[in-house]
Amino acid sequence: VDTSSFGPSALATPANAVTIARLVLAPLLCLLIVEVGPSYGVLALWIVLASTDGLDGWLARRMGTTRSGAFLDPLADKALVLGAMWAIVAYGGFWWLPVGLITARELAISAFRSYWGRQGLAVPARFWAKVKTVVQAVAVGMALAPPIAEHQSWLASTALWLATGLTLVTGAQYLMEGSRATATAGIRVEPS
């Protein structure tokens, strides 16, 4: 398989098409969550959109990663997960505090990642960061599943708090690795 079908500056790639579709459909998902609440239709849409994160990554690895994809993929991930979580808060399915902590971490890490990227450094996602993403997706899925939302809502809350813990721990790890990388590269990180 040719892994370099598209160069790093390509925009119109299959992986980017999947990512852009996820980004475009995120507001629709959030609207449905707020308007409909837990339902099998909303849950099915969530599962499709959440699972396509792996699809766009697979396509990118097969056909060539791009700078636009490296920017758009995390943006689509954040729009989907954070949007869905805040929509669940809006209808009363999640408490705002854990969602606020997750949001603060995701925004802070995005800012640091952007800064380090401009310095020429990349701190790749580690195993536990990937686990964190899966647990976040599972927590949202549980909150959207009618039987759990109606009768066992503590399961979704427990998954959300587990996701929150993993989110904060992996955020701290990311900051430490980025700080070590900047020290090794001789780049001074100025407080902002």
Side-chain angles (χ1 to χ4, degrees), residues 103-136:
T103 302
R105 181 272 194 198
E106 296 294 359
L107 294 176
I109 295 304
S110 293
F112 275 104
R113 180 175 282 172
S114 175
Y115 173 79
W116 288 326
R118 286 192 306 274
Q119 304 302 319
L121 295 174
V123 180
R126 299 285 184 229
F127 172 77
W128 285 108
K130 294 177 182 181
V131 170
K132 173 263 312 178
T133 302
V134 170
V135 175
Q136 287 177 347

mmCIF file of all heavy atoms in Angstrom, residues 103-136:
data_model
loop_
_atom_site.group_PDB
_atom_site.id
_atom_site.type_symbol
_atom_site.label_atom_id
_atom_site.label_comp_id
_atom_site.label_asym_id
_atom_site.label_seq_id
_atom_site.Cartn_x
_atom_site.Cartn_y
_atom_site.Cartn_z
ATOM 1 N N THR A 103 -12.982 20.176 30.123
ATOM 2 C CA THR A 103 -12.877 21.268 29.149
ATOM 3 C C THR A 103 -11.635 22.102 29.403
ATOM 4 O O THR A 103 -10.886 22.421 28.463
ATOM 5 C CB THR A 103 -14.141 22.150 29.200
ATOM 6 O OG1 THR A 103 -15.280 21.333 28.925
ATOM 7 C CG2 THR A 103 -14.068 23.282 28.196
ATOM 8 N N ALA A 104 -11.392 22.472 30.666
ATOM 9 C CA ALA A 104 -10.223 23.285 31.004
ATOM 10 C C ALA A 104 -8.936 22.566 30.608
ATOM 11 O O ALA A 104 -8.030 23.175 30.021
ATOM 12 C CB ALA A 104 -10.225 23.614 32.496
ATOM 13 N N ARG A 105 -8.855 21.284 30.889
ATOM 14 C CA ARG A 105 -7.650 20.522 30.526
ATOM 15 C C ARG A 105 -7.472 20.469 29.029
ATOM 16 O O ARG A 105 -6.385 20.691 28.513
ATOM 17 C CB ARG A 105 -7.756 19.105 31.102
ATOM 18 C CG ARG A 105 -6.549 18.215 30.801
ATOM 19 C CD ARG A 105 -6.695 17.505 29.491
ATOM 20 N NE ARG A 105 -5.737 16.417 29.334
ATOM 21 C CZ ARG A 105 -5.423 15.874 28.185
ATOM 22 N NH1 ARG A 105 -5.959 16.330 27.063
ATOM 23 N NH2 ARG A 105 -4.592 14.874 28.117
ATOM 24 N N GLU A 106 -8.550 20.181 28.297
ATOM 25 C CA GLU A 106 -8.440 20.043 26.847
ATOM 26 C C GLU A 106 -8.018 21.367 26.208
ATOM 27 O O GLU A 106 -7.184 21.383 25.300
ATOM 28 C CB GLU A 106 -9.758 19.549 26.250
ATOM 29 C CG GLU A 106 -10.181 18.157 26.698
ATOM 30 C CD GLU A 106 -9.271 17.023 26.239
ATOM 31 O OE1 GLU A 106 -8.276 17.258 25.525
ATOM 32 O OE2 GLU A 106 -9.556 15.871 26.609
ATOM 33 N N LEU A 107 -8.572 22.483 26.679
ATOM 34 C CA LEU A 107 -8.203 23.786 26.125
ATOM 35 C C LEU A 107 -6.757 24.146 26.470
ATOM 36 O O LEU A 107 -6.024 24.668 25.628
ATOM 37 C CB LEU A 107 -9.171 24.862 26.617
ATOM 38 C CG LEU A 107 -10.613 24.721 26.130
ATOM 39 C CD1 LEU A 107 -11.502 25.795 26.759
ATOM 40 C CD2 LEU A 107 -10.705 24.760 24.611
ATOM 41 N N ALA A 108 -6.348 23.853 27.708
ATOM 42 C CA ALA A 108 -4.969 24.147 28.112
ATOM 43 C C ALA A 108 -3.971 23.331 27.295
ATOM 44 O O ALA A 108 -2.969 23.869 26.798
ATOM 45 C CB ALA A 108 -4.785 23.875 29.609
ATOM 46 N N ILE A 109 -4.239 22.050 27.129
ATOM 47 C CA ILE A 109 -3.315 21.207 26.369
ATOM 48 C C ILE A 109 -3.299 21.623 24.900
ATOM 49 O O ILE A 109 -2.244 21.625 24.267
ATOM 50 C CB ILE A 109 -3.661 19.708 26.542
ATOM 51 C CG1 ILE A 109 -3.443 19.288 27.991
ATOM 52 C CG2 ILE A 109 -2.854 18.835 25.587
ATOM 53 C CD1 ILE A 109 -2.045 19.549 28.535
ATOM 54 N N SER A 110 -4.438 21.997 24.360
ATOM 55 C CA SER A 110 -4.475 22.484 22.967
ATOM 56 C C SER A 110 -3.608 23.728 22.814
ATOM 57 O O SER A 110 -2.884 23.874 21.832
ATOM 58 C CB SER A 110 -5.905 22.786 22.534
ATOM 59 O OG SER A 110 -6.656 21.599 22.471
ATOM 60 N N ALA A 111 -3.668 24.638 23.801
ATOM 61 C CA ALA A 111 -2.847 25.851 23.754
ATOM 62 C C ALA A 111 -1.360 25.503 23.838
ATOM 63 O O ALA A 111 -0.542 26.027 23.067
ATOM 64 C CB ALA A 111 -3.244 26.795 24.885
ATOM 65 N N PHE A 112 -1.001 24.604 24.760
ATOM 66 C CA PHE A 112 0.403 24.205 24.871
ATOM 67 C C PHE A 112 0.866 23.476 23.613
ATOM 68 O O PHE A 112 1.973 23.702 23.135
ATOM 69 C CB PHE A 112 0.621 23.320 26.107
ATOM 70 C CG PHE A 112 0.851 24.104 27.354
ATOM 71 C CD1 PHE A 112 -0.149 24.228 28.295
ATOM 72 C CD2 PHE A 112 2.054 24.742 27.589
ATOM 73 C CE1 PHE A 112 0.044 24.960 29.453
ATOM 74 C CE2 PHE A 112 2.272 25.472 28.740
ATOM 75 C CZ PHE A 112 1.254 25.585 29.677
ATOM 76 N N ARG A 113 0.021 22.599 23.083
ATOM 77 C CA ARG A 113 0.383 21.868 21.867
ATOM 78 C C ARG A 113 0.641 22.839 20.716
ATOM 79 O O ARG A 113 1.584 22.683 19.952
ATOM 80 C CB ARG A 113 -0.717 20.881 21.508
ATOM 81 C CG ARG A 113 -0.429 20.092 20.260
ATOM 82 C CD ARG A 113 -1.487 19.069 20.025
ATOM 83 N NE ARG A 113 -1.232 17.955 20.927
ATOM 84 C CZ ARG A 113 -2.049 16.929 21.102
ATOM 85 N NH1 ARG A 113 -3.187 16.882 20.456
ATOM 86 N NH2 ARG A 113 -1.739 15.961 21.909
ATOM 87 N N SER A 114 -0.191 23.852 20.608
ATOM 88 C CA SER A 114 -0.023 24.871 19.575
ATOM 89 C C SER A 114 1.300 25.623 19.768
ATOM 90 O O SER A 114 2.056 25.830 18.825
ATOM 91 C CB SER A 114 -1.205 25.840 19.609
ATOM 92 O OG SER A 114 -1.015 26.885 18.701
ATOM 93 N N TYR A 115 1.584 26.005 21.016
ATOM 94 C CA TYR A 115 2.832 26.711 21.307
ATOM 95 C C TYR A 115 4.038 25.844 20.971
ATOM 96 O O TYR A 115 4.968 26.279 20.295
ATOM 97 C CB TYR A 115 2.877 27.127 22.789
ATOM 98 C CG TYR A 115 4.214 27.703 23.169
ATOM 99 C CD1 TYR A 115 4.536 29.010 22.847
ATOM 100 C CD2 TYR A 115 5.179 26.917 23.796
ATOM 101 C CE1 TYR A 115 5.783 29.537 23.162
ATOM 102 C CE2 TYR A 115 6.418 27.428 24.115
ATOM 103 C CZ TYR A 115 6.719 28.740 23.793
ATOM 104 O OH TYR A 115 7.951 29.248 24.095
ATOM 105 N N TRP A 116 4.012 24.586 21.454
ATOM 106 C CA TRP A 116 5.144 23.695 21.194
ATOM 107 C C TRP A 116 5.284 23.402 19.706
ATOM 108 O O TRP A 116 6.386 23.259 19.201
ATOM 109 C CB TRP A 116 5.012 22.403 21.987
ATOM 110 C CG TRP A 116 5.242 22.593 23.457
ATOM 111 C CD1 TRP A 116 6.101 23.477 24.045
ATOM 112 C CD2 TRP A 116 4.601 21.900 24.515
ATOM 113 N NE1 TRP A 116 6.020 23.372 25.412
ATOM 114 C CE2 TRP A 116 5.114 22.402 25.730
ATOM 115 C CE3 TRP A 116 3.653 20.901 24.571
ATOM 116 C CZ2 TRP A 116 4.712 21.947 26.975
ATOM 117 C CZ3 TRP A 116 3.248 20.432 25.812
ATOM 118 C CH2 TRP A 116 3.779 20.954 26.992
ATOM 119 N N GLY A 117 4.170 23.295 19.005
ATOM 120 C CA GLY A 117 4.219 23.069 17.563
ATOM 121 C C GLY A 117 4.922 24.213 16.845
ATOM 122 O O GLY A 117 5.702 24.004 15.919
ATOM 123 N N ARG A 118 4.659 25.447 17.279
ATOM 124 C CA ARG A 118 5.332 26.608 16.667
ATOM 125 C C ARG A 118 6.824 26.605 16.975
ATOM 126 O O ARG A 118 7.614 27.190 16.249
ATOM 127 C CB ARG A 118 4.693 27.913 17.147
ATOM 128 C CG ARG A 118 3.329 28.174 16.525
ATOM 129 C CD ARG A 118 2.838 29.594 16.773
ATOM 130 N NE ARG A 118 2.827 29.984 18.164
ATOM 131 C CZ ARG A 118 1.836 29.768 19.033
ATOM 132 N NH1 ARG A 118 0.752 29.137 18.629
ATOM 133 N NH2 ARG A 118 1.930 30.183 20.282
ATOM 134 N N GLN A 119 7.205 25.921 18.075
ATOM 135 C CA GLN A 119 8.626 25.812 18.427
ATOM 136 C C GLN A 119 9.296 24.620 17.732
ATOM 137 O O GLN A 119 10.475 24.375 17.922
ATOM 138 C CB GLN A 119 8.784 25.662 19.950
ATOM 139 C CG GLN A 119 8.146 26.762 20.759
ATOM 140 C CD GLN A 119 8.682 28.129 20.398
ATOM 141 O OE1 GLN A 119 9.885 28.306 20.190
ATOM 142 N NE2 GLN A 119 7.798 29.102 20.309
ATOM 143 N N GLY A 120 8.495 23.869 16.960
ATOM 144 C CA GLY A 120 9.038 22.718 16.247
ATOM 145 C C GLY A 120 9.050 21.432 17.058
ATOM 146 O O GLY A 120 9.701 20.461 16.679
ATOM 147 N N LEU A 121 8.346 21.416 18.178
ATOM 148 C CA LEU A 121 8.302 20.227 19.026
ATOM 149 C C LEU A 121 6.952 19.543 18.894
ATOM 150 O O LEU A 121 5.924 20.200 18.774
ATOM 151 C CB LEU A 121 8.502 20.608 20.496
ATOM 152 C CG LEU A 121 9.858 21.204 20.862
ATOM 153 C CD1 LEU A 121 9.830 21.660 22.313
ATOM 154 C CD2 LEU A 121 10.964 20.184 20.664
ATOM 155 N N ALA A 122 6.982 18.231 18.942
ATOM 156 C CA ALA A 122 5.740 17.458 18.950
ATOM 157 C C ALA A 122 5.815 16.488 20.120
ATOM 158 O O ALA A 122 6.806 15.781 20.279
ATOM 159 C CB ALA A 122 5.578 16.694 17.650
ATOM 160 N N VAL A 123 4.787 16.494 20.947
ATOM 161 C CA VAL A 123 4.695 15.542 22.047
ATOM 162 C C VAL A 123 3.520 14.630 21.699
ATOM 163 O O VAL A 123 2.364 15.024 21.829
ATOM 164 C CB VAL A 123 4.488 16.253 23.403
ATOM 165 C CG1 VAL A 123 4.405 15.224 24.524
ATOM 166 C CG2 VAL A 123 5.606 17.247 23.669
ATOM 167 N N PRO A 124 3.816 13.437 21.192
ATOM 168 C CA PRO A 124 2.735 12.562 20.715
ATOM 169 C C PRO A 124 1.863 12.045 21.846
ATOM 170 O O PRO A 124 2.279 11.985 23.002
ATOM 171 C CB PRO A 124 3.489 11.415 20.036
ATOM 172 C CG PRO A 124 4.831 11.398 20.674
ATOM 173 C CD PRO A 124 5.132 12.821 21.070
ATOM 174 N N ALA A 125 0.633 11.679 21.488
ATOM 175 C CA ALA A 125 -0.295 11.105 22.459
ATOM 176 C C ALA A 125 0.245 9.757 22.931
ATOM 177 O O ALA A 125 0.715 8.951 22.140
ATOM 178 C CB ALA A 125 -1.673 10.936 21.831
ATOM 179 N N ARG A 126 0.178 9.548 24.207
ATOM 180 C CA ARG A 126 0.625 8.296 24.812
ATOM 181 C C ARG A 126 -0.560 7.347 24.996
ATOM 182 O O ARG A 126 -1.711 7.712 24.809
ATOM 183 C CB ARG A 126 1.279 8.591 26.172
ATOM 184 C CG ARG A 126 2.487 9.490 26.081
ATOM 185 C CD ARG A 126 3.661 8.712 25.539
ATOM 186 N NE ARG A 126 4.849 9.562 25.533
ATOM 187 C CZ ARG A 126 5.633 9.689 24.485
ATOM 188 N NH1 ARG A 126 5.351 9.058 23.372
ATOM 189 N NH2 ARG A 126 6.704 10.438 24.546
ATOM 190 N N PHE A 127 -0.249 6.145 25.421
ATOM 191 C CA PHE A 127 -1.262 5.107 25.610
ATOM 192 C C PHE A 127 -2.403 5.587 26.501
ATOM 193 O O PHE A 127 -3.579 5.435 26.173
ATOM 194 C CB PHE A 127 -0.612 3.847 26.195
ATOM 195 C CG PHE A 127 -1.609 2.801 26.597
ATOM 196 C CD1 PHE A 127 -2.219 2.003 25.633
ATOM 197 C CD2 PHE A 127 -1.964 2.630 27.932
ATOM 198 C CE1 PHE A 127 -3.153 1.037 25.999
ATOM 199 C CE2 PHE A 127 -2.898 1.670 28.302
ATOM 200 C CZ PHE A 127 -3.486 0.880 27.335
ATOM 201 N N TRP A 128 -2.087 6.170 27.657
ATOM 202 C CA TRP A 128 -3.136 6.561 28.606
ATOM 203 C C TRP A 128 -3.975 7.705 28.067
ATOM 204 O O TRP A 128 -5.152 7.826 28.409
ATOM 205 C CB TRP A 128 -2.547 6.882 29.972
ATOM 206 C CG TRP A 128 -2.159 5.610 30.661
ATOM 207 C CD1 TRP A 128 -0.887 5.151 30.889
ATOM 208 C CD2 TRP A 128 -3.040 4.601 31.157
ATOM 209 N NE1 TRP A 128 -0.939 3.924 31.498
ATOM 210 C CE2 TRP A 128 -2.241 3.565 31.680
ATOM 211 C CE3 TRP A 128 -4.421 4.465 31.213
ATOM 212 C CZ2 TRP A 128 -2.784 2.418 32.253
ATOM 213 C CZ3 TRP A 128 -4.965 3.322 31.786
ATOM 214 C CH2 TRP A 128 -4.146 2.320 32.301
ATOM 215 N N ALA A 129 -3.400 8.544 27.221
ATOM 216 C CA ALA A 129 -4.196 9.610 26.595
ATOM 217 C C ALA A 129 -5.224 9.005 25.645
ATOM 218 O O ALA A 129 -6.352 9.494 25.536
ATOM 219 C CB ALA A 129 -3.291 10.591 25.868
ATOM 220 N N LYS A 130 -4.845 7.928 24.977
ATOM 221 C CA LYS A 130 -5.796 7.245 24.094
ATOM 222 C C LYS A 130 -6.886 6.546 24.906
ATOM 223 O O LYS A 130 -8.064 6.555 24.530
ATOM 224 C CB LYS A 130 -5.060 6.272 23.181
ATOM 225 C CG LYS A 130 -4.149 7.002 22.196
ATOM 226 C CD LYS A 130 -3.353 6.078 21.327
ATOM 227 C CE LYS A 130 -2.441 6.898 20.426
ATOM 228 N NZ LYS A 130 -1.650 6.120 19.531
ATOM 229 N N VAL A 131 -6.498 5.966 26.041
ATOM 230 C CA VAL A 131 -7.479 5.351 26.938
ATOM 231 C C VAL A 131 -8.449 6.420 27.434
ATOM 232 O O VAL A 131 -9.664 6.205 27.492
ATOM 233 C CB VAL A 131 -6.781 4.642 28.122
ATOM 234 C CG1 VAL A 131 -7.785 4.208 29.178
ATOM 235 C CG2 VAL A 131 -5.969 3.448 27.631
ATOM 236 N N LYS A 132 -7.924 7.583 27.791
ATOM 237 C CA LYS A 132 -8.753 8.703 28.245
ATOM 238 C C LYS A 132 -9.802 9.049 27.212
ATOM 239 O O LYS A 132 -10.976 9.237 27.535
ATOM 240 C CB LYS A 132 -7.850 9.908 28.527
ATOM 241 C CG LYS A 132 -8.538 11.200 28.842
ATOM 242 C CD LYS A 132 -8.724 12.182 27.712
ATOM 243 C CE LYS A 132 -7.577 12.498 26.836
ATOM 244 N NZ LYS A 132 -7.933 13.433 25.751
ATOM 245 N N THR A 133 -9.420 9.104 25.959
ATOM 246 C CA THR A 133 -10.350 9.432 24.881
ATOM 247 C C THR A 133 -11.465 8.390 24.786
ATOM 248 O O THR A 133 -12.639 8.742 24.630
ATOM 249 C CB THR A 133 -9.587 9.536 23.541
ATOM 250 O OG1 THR A 133 -8.576 10.545 23.680
ATOM 251 C CG2 THR A 133 -10.503 9.893 22.399
ATOM 252 N N VAL A 134 -11.099 7.129 24.905
ATOM 253 C CA VAL A 134 -12.088 6.053 24.849
ATOM 254 C C VAL A 134 -13.048 6.142 26.037
ATOM 255 O O VAL A 134 -14.268 6.016 25.878
ATOM 256 C CB VAL A 134 -11.403 4.672 24.789
ATOM 257 C CG1 VAL A 134 -12.404 3.542 24.974
ATOM 258 C CG2 VAL A 134 -10.648 4.512 23.473
ATOM 259 N N VAL A 135 -12.516 6.393 27.226
ATOM 260 C CA VAL A 135 -13.370 6.473 28.416
ATOM 261 C C VAL A 135 -14.319 7.675 28.313
ATOM 262 O O VAL A 135 -15.489 7.582 28.694
ATOM 263 C CB VAL A 135 -12.527 6.507 29.709
ATOM 264 C CG1 VAL A 135 -13.398 6.725 30.942
ATOM 265 C CG2 VAL A 135 -11.739 5.205 29.854
ATOM 266 N N GLN A 136 -13.835 8.791 27.779
ATOM 267 C CA GLN A 136 -14.717 9.942 27.555
ATOM 268 C C GLN A 136 -15.862 9.554 26.616
ATOM 269 O O GLN A 136 -17.031 9.873 26.875
ATOM 270 C CB GLN A 136 -13.952 11.121 26.961
ATOM 271 C CG GLN A 136 -13.024 11.826 27.923
ATOM 272 C CD GLN A 136 -12.234 12.935 27.250
ATOM 273 O OE1 GLN A 136 -12.186 13.059 26.028
ATOM 274 N NE2 GLN A 136 -11.587 13.760 28.055
#
